[in-house]
Amino acid sequence: MNEIIREIETAQLKENVGDFRAGDTVKVYGKIKEGNRERIQVFEGTVLKIQGGSNRATFTVRKVSNGVGVEKTWPMHSPNVEKVEVVRRGKVRRAKLNYLRDRVGKKAKVKELVR
């Protein structure tokens, strides 16, 4: 039974997920259905965390819109995620950046990783 589940999960994996980590600023191109039309909406923010594995992997992106913090959790291998584009790399020392939720202004920024 385990092998059957593993085969189904590997069939659902995307080929090009994108190379990003926690702390990176990304643009997520998500498909949105409105009635019978479908369009792509861009959500740009900082990646707080990446969790899970296989086809259940998700990542959480946070942005501040009109002074209000907005977080969205996206399934990494979902067909509703068109692509994930890295805008800038972040220099962080941990995998989960939950402390950014309490910060406001310049303190909420992540330093850029210079390569």
Side-chain angles (χ1 to χ4, degrees), residues 75-101:
M76 202 169 283
H77 298 282
S78 170
N80 291 332
V81 176
E82 185 72 23
K83 66 177 178 175
V84 180
E85 183 180 300
V86 178
V87 177
R88 63 194 270 280
R89 298 275 180 194
K91 182 181 179 185
V92 292
R93 296 171 67 179
R94 56 188 68 224
K96 311 274 196 256
L97 305 178
N98 295 322
Y99 64 89
L100 288 180
R101 293 178 176 141

Side-chain angles (χ1 to χ4, degrees), residues 9-91:
E9 287 181 353
T10 54
Q12 294 174 348
L13 294 178
K14 272 188 183 177
E15 299 295 322
N16 52 351
V17 174
D19 183 34
F20 60 93
R21 296 192 199 106
D24 294 351
T25 303
V26 295
K27 284 184 183 178
V28 182
Y29 293 82
K31 291 182 186 174
I32 293 182
K33 277 192 173 179
E34 294 172 334
N36 56 355
R37 296 186 326 140
E38 193 175 273
R39 67 183 178 86
I40 293 176
Q41 185 172 2
V42 180
F43 189 87
E44 182 174 353
T46 306
V47 178
L48 288 187
K49 59 184 171 181
I50 299 173
Q51 59 187 14
S54 182
N55 68 336
R56 292 183 224 76
T58 60
F59 61 99
T60 303
V61 181
R62 178 182 175 83
K63 74 174 181 178
V64 177
S65 179
N66 297 324
V68 180
V70 179
E71 285 185 22
K72 268 190 169 182
T73 302
W74 302 86
M76 202 169 283
H77 298 282
S78 170
N80 291 332
V81 176
E82 185 72 23
K83 66 177 178 175
V84 180
E85 183 180 300
V86 178
V87 177
R88 63 194 270 280
R89 298 275 180 194
K91 182 181 179 185

